[in-house]
Amino acid sequence: MEQQPKKTRAKGGGRKPLPIEERAMNTAIRLTPAQHQKFIALGGVVWLREQIEKAELME
């Protein structure tokens, strides 16, 4: 069995990082099983993102 040379990545290769203001953040929430079922039925994460985008902040 011949050994293949180790594959290496090209310098600067790969996806470039997003600017800090465009990076997604992870957020955890606690739901009861009933709340989780309702969340999924409403559309899950897609629904949540839509709700956040159309909500207006009160100042």
Side-chain angles (χ1 to χ4, degrees):
M1 180 182 254
E2 291 184 34
Q3 283 191 328
Q4 299 286 332
K6 186 176 178 181
K7 294 182 180 181
T8 58
R9 295 183 183 179
K11 187 172 181 167
R15 185 171 59 183
K16 304 296 182 242
L18 292 171
I20 291 174
E21 61 274 1
E22 293 181 27
R23 294 182 190 171
M25 296 179 63
N26 291 329
T27 302
I29 59 170
R30 297 175 74 88
L31 301 173
T32 65
Q35 289 172 330
H36 184 259
Q37 285 181 336
K38 189 172 185 178
F39 173 69
I40 298 302
L42 287 168
V45 175
V46 173
W47 172 81
L48 179 61
R49 287 185 179 131
E50 289 172 354
Q51 297 303 308
I52 292 170
E53 289 299 318
K54 69 181 183 182
E56 295 182 16
L57 294 177
M58 290 193 265
E59 294 184 25

